[in-house]
């Protein structure tokens, strides 16, 4: 089965990281840990990865990076308690607990 997406790690530096022309030619999805999902077998995506000095990752490597970031965020959320606060109040204060993320091929 041919893969649909490829993954890379690249730090988003802000304006110009994804320019207007790129955003019309490529579907980008960002994940925790500076992991980016772009179409596989796409010359525009490959050029963008080179432009941002992205480091290619397999799906499993990218998943491990995302898992580590999500686990850290979940642990921080779990440990951010105020004495006497209900779970509902905690959600109001912090938002929902970070959810697990599963990458697709």
């Amino acid at each position: 089965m041919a893969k649909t997406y490829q993954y890379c790690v690249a730090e988003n530096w802000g304006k110009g990281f994804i320019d207007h022309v790129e955003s019309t030619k490529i579907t980008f999805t960002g994940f925790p840990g500076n992991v980016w999902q772009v179409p596989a077998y796409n010359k525009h995506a490959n050029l963008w990865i080179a432009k941002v000095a992205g480091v290619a990752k397999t799906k499993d490597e990218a998943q491990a990076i995302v898992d580590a970031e999500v686990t850290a965020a979940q642990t921080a959320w779990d440990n951010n308690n105020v004495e006497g606060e209900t779970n509902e109040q905690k959600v109001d204060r912090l938002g929902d607990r970070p959810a697990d993320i599963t990458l697709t091929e």
Side-chain angles (χ1 to χ4, degrees):
M1 179 176 173
K3 65 181 181 176
T4 306
Y5 300 107
Q6 61 183 326
Y7 295 90
C8 74
V9 172
E11 187 173 347
N12 184 343
W13 63 72
K15 186 174 179 153
F17 182 71
I18 299 172
D19 67 32
H20 175 72
V21 172
E22 292 163 341
S23 69
T24 63
K25 295 180 179 181
I26 308 167
T27 301
F28 297 90
T29 305
F31 295 98
N34 290 316
V35 172
W36 293 90
Q37 177 192 65
V38 295
Y41 312 111
N42 180 298
K43 72 176 182 177
H44 302 292
N46 293 337
L47 289 170
W48 176 80
I49 291 170
K51 177 190 104 170
V52 299
V55 177
K57 299 292 179 185
T58 66
K59 179 184 158 285
D60 291 341
E61 291 170 333
Q63 185 69 61
I65 294 166
V66 170
D67 288 347
E69 291 291 321
V70 169
T71 298
Q74 289 171 337
T75 300
W77 192 94
D78 292 343
N79 293 334
N80 190 336
N81 298 310
V82 173
E83 189 174 336
E85 179 180 58
T86 66
N87 192 49
E88 184 177 283
Q89 291 169 327
K90 183 175 184 173
V91 170
D92 287 344
R93 179 171 58 89
L94 298 176
D96 290 329
R97 185 176 189 265
D100 290 334
I101 297 170
T102 302
L103 302 179
T104 56
E105 191 69 47

